[in-house]
Structure formats: structure tokens, C-alpha cells
Amino acid sequence: MLSEVLLVSAPGKVILHGEHAVVHGKVALAVALNLRTFLRLQPHSNGKVDLSLPNIGIKRAWDVARLQSLDTSFLGEGKEEKPEQGDVTTPTPEQVEKLKEVAGLPDDCAVTKRLAVLAFLYLYLSICRKQRALPSLDIVVWSELPPGAGLGSSAAYSVSLAAALLTVCEEIPNPLKDGDCVNRWTKEDLELINKWAFQGERMIHGNPSGVDNAVSTWGGALRYHQGKISSLKRPPALQILLTNTKVPRNTRALVAGVRNRLLKFPEIVAPLLTSIDAISLECERVLGEMGEAPALEQYLVLEELIDMNQHHLNALGVGHASLDQLCQVTRAHGLHSKLTGAGGGGCGITLLKPGLEQPEVEATKQALTSCGFDCLETSIGAPGVSIHSATSLDSRVQQALGGL
Amino acid sequence: MLSEVLLVSAPGKVILHGEHAVVHGKVALAVALNLRTFLRLQPHSNGKVDLSLPNIGIKRAWDVARLQSLDTSFLGEGKEEKPEQGDVTTPTPEQVEKLKEVAGLPDDCAVTKRLAVLAFLYLYLSICRKQRALPSLDIVVWSELPPGAGLGSSAAYSVSLAAALLTVCEEIPNPLKDGDCVNRWTKEDLELINKWAFQGERMIHGNPSGVDNAVSTWGGALRYHQGKISSLKRPPALQILLTNTKVPRNTRALVAGVRNRLLKFPEIVAPLLTSIDAISLECERVLGEMGEAPALEQYLVLEELIDMNQHHLNALGVGHASLDQLCQVTRAHGLHSKLTGAGGGGCGITLLKPGLEQPEVEATKQALTSCGFDCLETSIGAPGVSIHSATSLDSRVQQALGGL
């Protein structure tokens, strides 16, 4: 058991290309979004586990002694032997039911809150049970990511929790050395973090694809194709505007709508999905070539791909008037945008070419804000889960985590 | 030689689906637009041929005697024998040069005017030369079609001229019987009209596809595929709004832009063209099924096809902000629109479902007009070239033709 404070961050994600097409076996490109979830883990000795999630108004504490008496009684249930170090177990429906009891949440607790608490308890109990005694910890998780906007906020939560818990339990070493501002874990340790984070995601989402936790763990850009996830080598970091139209959407209905359109017009929609696939592949190729010193020419190709895919997503029926407005406003400033994720509202991304004047960027943000949208300037291709020194975090983050 | 006044009309055309894709070997559907060109031909005996084109400010007269002395001197040039009745000859560059002399137009004459006069003289001299003497005629042509908007106004001009001249020369019989309000020629006669009209089109456009004159001749809906033109059986007449954004466009540059995009991104653009092809085929199928009593369901499919193709045309890069605005405005009234023709501005069509309340249609027209667009309520699938009784033409047309 480590005794120092750990400060961990993990990025969100956006789909650059391939949303919806991915459901029909095509390639998707997911990229790490430099809006991050920050976690402060502080071991203490008051016999409590404290969890504070200020974004969603969670502040809970559990007695370690009570948890201690409970954990093996159901997490080990049905297992013939204790899992080996590094083994990752999948939550069973029975475990979920027991966790609900342990959580002691009121019946009318909002789903988001309930799932966040259950995922925490599951990861805490599963990862820490190999300790002689369950540790007493104070954990605060705060995120720059809006929840439920398709930006992988739950994955960033699970990844940062898994990384901090595995590190505090010394299942993986703390990579932060004296004098480091920030550091990352080894490939093997990241693989373990990713596996546990995936379990957290399963607790929250039921049957996630694993893309969100992988992007949050590895950072950069990932290619997802028929269940296989691979990292792109040296993807560039690209500056973007991330705009949330705040129009609520129903992902399930949007996915079903595309499927129905494919069934109704197979000869029209199948080649459209093929065209989207080719956009993802072309984008992957260009990102691979951009390397350290991207050329303006390459940005112009990325813009053309963004435009074509936005039209394709509209043709699939997952556009929305708010997204049209977003594209129109940014085009009036010479910028190119597409929806990201499920569509039907939600978020859009706008590529910022190098050499743009800051006043022009500000004017675009202002114009988007005037439409009633939330607009943030950030980047994609961000680093994956990282560990930070206290002094390297900016004061806004320090304050959000309750002071360091 | 007939001696009665002939009143002929021919429709314009819009491309329903397949613009641009047709250049790359895909199917296009062209439909007759019920905005018509009207022609009044009155034989007289003053030894003059008078041509009046009020839309473009043409009012010219030629001495028949002078034309008589000229015609065989160059129209027969290089021909070993006089063409048989029904033969259609193609204008040679030499003939065009000689026609320019005959026309006697000022050097600074606008291209549109020059070409309209040359096409007239070519058709007049070629069709009438088989008469013992060239006839003295007074011809007025007036059109509801805006020129240069991609609506086939030149084809409607050539078709109505060819039909009237062939009829007055008794190359084909006048199908209008006593008591008829309107009538049409037989299939064989229409074929001859179409052939001559195509020559008029060649004079005006150099190397036309032949679609515009075919639609104006046959009416209804045509399928064009790799140079082959065929009529759809019993296409329904569909009510539409035809909106002219009045944004000027460069068809040649737009066609080149699509070709460049195909060369640059073959894997992306080729399936997109395949998808557009499938839209045209599906539309053809639905139009064929609509028959006499179209169901609302079928209109809804037509709307979906319109939406998808509009997005595809945007993905090809031939959209325009004015067309986006057109689509947005009509969508706000629950109506679906696409560009028609070259894109980059120009015209759009909006399908009017049966059962729409007239105030709603008026509100949409008003909203489009407020954008600075010209908007007309009309129909597609209109009858082809027709001959009318004087009393059956409405007073607006009678007045435009200078009184009947």
C-alpha cells in the first residue's frame, strides 16, 4: 500500500470518423479528447472510504470494516480459487445486486449516480481485496467532460479509478518519479488498467464496445474494426472546437433508424457505408503521414473528409437542424465541422487549422455560443491516462479536487 | 403549306435524380417541367420572315427573297444529293459561319441572342427548303422558363420551332382537329420533331446530351443511361415548387470539381456515385408503381430519396449555401427539397405532397421569396410538345404572344 496522494487524469474521446458505420462492420477512428477527468486519491486512516463526485453531486462514505466483512462473501462467489494477480473478473448480475445493497443508495437515486457508485465499489472491492485489509481512502473525481454527451466521460472515470486503485495497491508501480510533472505507465500496466476499466464500463453500460476505455487508457487515436482495436502510430494532436448543441438525443433510436434505412434501401445505403469506411481509412492514412510537422495540405484533406462524412451522416438520417446550424456557422468562418457520436443533436467537432488568428477562433466560439451551444477549444490525439505531481495541475483543477 | 395560325408549346425539364452521376455512367431521371415555351406561327404574304423573342428582346425580320437566294448555296454544300424527306442534317462549322452572315446581327450581340437567331435560321432554312419557295412567316416565341437556369429553355425553344416549322411545311400533319383544345403528334412525328430539335440544340450548345430536347418532345419522365434515352411508362404528374436561387453557377467548373474529387478520393466517391445511381433506380421504380392513384406512402419514399440525394450532391461538392437555405426553409414547413441540375446555386425542387393546405404552400413560397429567391408552383411529368387552339390558351399567354 502506497501512502502518498495520487493525482491521475484520463481523457475523454470523440469519434473522428465511422460512427454508425461501425455498427455495420466498418472502421471507426476514435481519438482521445483533451478534456480530462481528474482523480485525487488520498490514503487515510479513519476507517472510511470516501467518494466524492462533485460533477454529479455524489458525496458518500462507507465503513471499511463493513465492506471488509462483505467483499469475499460475494466477489469470490462461484469462483473455485482466488483470482491471480492481474486477473480481471466480470461482474455477474448477482454481484451487481449485492453491490446495490452495499452501496446503500436511496431508491430514488438517479441512474447516473447509482451507476457511478456501483462502478466505484466494484473496482474498489475487486482491485483492493488482495490487500491484507481493504484500504481507507478518500477519493475525489472531477471532470471537464460533460456527462451523457457521448464524450466517454464514464470511461475516463473508470480508467482513472482503475489506474489509481491499481497503483495505490501496488499492483502496478507508480511511474511518477521525483521531479516529474507528469508520467505514464508502461504498456503492460496500461493493459491491466484498460482491462479493469472495461469492467467498470460494463457495470455502467452493460455491453460497451471497449473503445472508450481503450482510447482513455492509450490516448492518441485508435482504429476500431469488427471488435479489434489498434492504436495509430504517432497521430498528431489536432486543435479543435468541441461544440455541444445540448439537443438531447436517443442513441438507440438513431442506431435503429440507420438499420431501418439500410433494410429499406439496401442498394442506396450499403455503398454509403462503404464510402464512410473509405473516409475513415483515408483519414487514418493522412494522420499517419502528418507526423511531427503536418502540412497545411494535409489539414485541407482532413477538412474535405469531415465535410463528406457530415453529408453522409445526414444521408443516413442522423443529422439535426442544430448540427446543420453548427456547420453553417463555422463554415461562415472558413471552418469545417461534423457531428461526432450518435448525432441527432449532441456534439460536433470543428477542425482548427494551424495559422488561424486567435480573434477569428474567438469570433467563431462567440457565434456558436450565440446559438445557445456550449463551445470549448481543446485538442484531440491527447495523451492517455496519466499521473501528475500536485504542482503541475492548474489551480482550477486543484480547486475542483478540493485543494491538494 | 398550311395557312392557319399554329400555336405550339413545349415544356422545360428538371433533373429529378442523377445530375453529375450521369457524367460518370450512372442513370439520370429527367422530367418534363410544366413551365412551357409558347410559339405562335402565322403564315403571311409580306415577303418577310419575322422572328420575335420577347423574353430576350429579339425582333428581327429577313427578306424571304434574300434567304431564298442563299439557302441552297450553303445548306446543300458538300452534299451529293438533296436530303430525303425526314433526313436530319447536322450543322457544319462552315454552315454556322454562313448563317452568321445571313443573320446580320451586330458584332456586339449577346451570345444568347445570337445563338437563338442562328438556331432559328438553321431550322427555318433546313426544314422549309423542301418547299417550292421559302414561306413568309411571322413567329413569336415566349417562354415561362427563365433562360440559363438549367431548365431546358433552349430545348423547349428548339422543340417548339421544329414542331411548328415541320407542321406548317406539312412534313408532319397538324394533329389539332376542330373542337380540340390541345393535341399531340404521333410517335413517328414526335421522333422527327425530336431529331430536328436536337440539331437546334447542337447549334446552341455544341455537344448536348439530347436529354433536354427528348424530355421537351416526349414529356413525362425519361431515363438517361450512357447515351440511351427511354421513356418511363405512365409517370405521375407531381406538384412541386421550383425555386431559383438566382446564384449564378459555372456548370463546367462544377462538373470538373466532381471529376477531381473522384480522382482524388476514388474509394470514397465511387461508392457515392453508386448510391446516387441506386436512388435514381429506386425513384424510377416508385414512379412506375405510383400510376393513377399514388399513395401517400409513395410520396414519403420520394421525399426520403430527395433528402438522401441532396446530401450526396453536397458530398460531391456541388452544393451551395443558398441551396442549404432553400432546403432549410422548406424543411421548416415539412417539405423536402434538392438542387436540380448543376448545383452550386441555380434551381431547387420541392415536392408538394397531396393534401397540403394551400395556405401552407403559400407560406413556404413567401418564405422562399423572402430569401431573395424566385419561387413558382408548377408540376413535373408534364405533357411534351403540344398544339393548342387559340381559345384554350390563357390570356397571359395570348398577351405575351402579341394577341391571337
Side-chain angles (χ1 to χ4, degrees), chain B residues 169-217:
Chain B
C169 291
E170 296 182 274
E171 297 274 333
I172 57 177
N174 182 348
L176 197 73
K177 303 288 166 272
D178 274 356
D180 283 355
C181 286
V182 61
N183 218 327
R184 307 198 59 221
W185 287 266
T186 63
K187 186 167 174 295
E188 289 68 31
D189 295 341
L190 289 171
E191 273 163 9
L192 188 62
I193 292 170
N194 189 41
K195 278 188 194 164
W196 278 110
F198 184 55
Q199 297 312 315
E201 278 283 87
R202 292 175 86 155
M203 186 64 80
I204 296 171
H205 288 299
N207 188 23
S209 69
V211 171
D212 288 12
N213 50 283
V215 175
S216 189
T217 300

Side-chain angles (χ1 to χ4, degrees), chain A residues 264 268 275 304 324 331, chain B residues 264 268 275 304 324 331:
Chain A
K264 189 170 180 187
I268 297 168
S275 185
E304 284 189 88
D324 292 345
R331 188 175 54 187
Chain B
K264 189 171 179 184
I268 299 168
S275 184
E304 284 188 89
D324 292 345
R331 188 175 55 187

Side-chain angles (χ1 to χ4, degrees), chain B residues 34-170:
Chain B
N34 208 20
L35 296 177
R36 305 182 76 88
T37 293
F38 292 89
L39 178 150
R40 189 197 68 185
L41 179 152
Q42 178 151 31
H44 57 192
S45 49
N46 65 357
K48 299 271 188 193
V49 178
D50 289 290
L51 177 69
S52 172
L53 309 176
N55 300 81
I56 57 171
I58 286 271
K59 202 164 170 61
R60 308 281 306 176
W62 295 270
D63 277 327
V64 167
R66 183 163 161 259
L67 296 177
Q68 186 75 47
S69 71
L70 283 165
D71 75 332
T72 44
S73 71
F74 67 90
L75 280 176
E77 205 172 70
K79 299 274 173 198
E80 292 189 346
E81 51 192 61
K82 220 179 158 197
E84 296 295 308
Q85 193 198 344
D87 272 16
V88 173
T89 57
T90 301
T92 64
E94 292 75 18
Q95 288 170 1
V96 175
E97 282 312 305
K98 292 243 168 96
L99 280 173
K100 281 186 188 167
E101 285 173 38
V102 175
L105 291 165
D107 285 346
D108 61 349
C109 179
V111 176
T112 314
K113 294 187 182 187
R114 184 197 307 276
L115 293 175
V117 168
L118 291 182
F120 166 71
L121 284 174
Y122 176 75
L123 291 174
Y124 170 77
L125 293 171
S126 303
I127 292 172
C128 302
R129 62 202 284 250
K130 283 162 245 165
Q131 303 294 306
R132 231 175 326 177
L134 285 175
S136 177
L137 302 170
D138 180 60
I139 293 176
V140 186
V141 189
W142 172 81
S143 187
E144 296 169 335
L145 291 158
L151 300 175
S153 64
S154 70
Y157 173 70
S158 294
V159 168
S160 55
L161 268 179
L165 292 169
L166 287 165
T167 304
V168 77
C169 291
E170 296 182 274

Side-chain angles (χ1 to χ4, degrees), chain B residues 145-370:
Chain B
L145 291 158
L151 300 175
S153 64
S154 70
Y157 173 70
S158 294
V159 168
S160 55
L161 268 179
L165 292 169
L166 287 165
T167 304
V168 77
C169 291
E170 296 182 274
E171 297 274 333
I172 57 177
N174 182 348
L176 197 73
K177 303 288 166 272
D178 274 356
D180 283 355
C181 286
V182 61
N183 218 327
R184 307 198 59 221
W185 287 266
T186 63
K187 186 167 174 295
E188 289 68 31
D189 295 341
L190 289 171
E191 273 163 9
L192 188 62
I193 292 170
N194 189 41
K195 278 188 194 164
W196 278 110
F198 184 55
Q199 297 312 315
E201 278 283 87
R202 292 175 86 155
M203 186 64 80
I204 296 171
H205 288 299
N207 188 23
S209 69
V211 171
D212 288 12
N213 50 283
V215 175
S216 189
T217 300
W218 300 103
L222 296 187
R223 160 205 245 266
Y224 179 88
H225 187 218
Q226 300 185 341
K228 284 195 201 110
I229 297 171
S230 55
S231 281
L232 271 68
K233 281 184 191 147
R234 284 183 296 280
L238 303 173
Q239 291 301 117
I240 62 159
L241 297 181
L242 177 81
T243 305
N244 189 346
T245 64
K246 297 191 275 181
V247 172
R249 72 226 183 289
N250 180 336
T251 301
R252 198 180 295 252
L254 289 158
V255 169
V258 173
R259 189 177 300 282
N260 289 340
R261 190 165 279 202
L262 177 60
L263 289 170
K264 189 171 179 184
F265 303 117
E267 308 292 331
I268 299 168
V269 177
L272 183 55
L273 295 173
T274 302
S275 184
I276 292 176
D277 199 44
I279 289 173
S280 297
L281 296 179
E282 177 69 7
C283 183
E284 185 183 2
R285 193 187 66 72
V286 174
L287 291 178
E289 285 183 4
M290 286 176 89
E292 306 274 297
L296 183 61
E297 185 79 0
Q298 292 166 322
Y299 277 91
L300 299 179
V301 172
L302 293 184
E303 287 183 340
E304 284 188 89
L305 298 176
I306 284 172
D307 286 347
M308 286 192 280
N309 201 358
Q310 174 63 15
H311 296 309
H312 285 8
L313 288 161
N314 272 317
L316 287 178
V318 300
H320 188 270
S322 62
L323 294 163
D324 292 345
Q325 193 182 11
L326 191 166
C327 292
Q328 219 164 12
V329 165
T330 58
R331 188 175 55 187
H333 290 84
L335 302 175
H336 299 251
S337 308
K338 70 177 278 288
L339 70 84
T340 179
C347 290
I349 51 174
T350 306
L351 185 64
L352 299 177
K353 283 187 287 278
L356 279 175
E357 301 289 339
Q358 195 58 31
E360 187 59 22
V361 175
E362 289 304 325
T364 311
K365 286 164 70 174
Q366 187 53 52
L368 289 166
T369 306
S370 305

Side-chain angles (χ1 to χ4, degrees), chain B residues 14-29:
Chain B
V14 291
I15 302 291
L16 192 51
H17 289 293
E19 50 272 273
H20 287 289
V22 72
V23 176
H24 304 279
K26 307 301 184 189
V27 167
L29 295 182

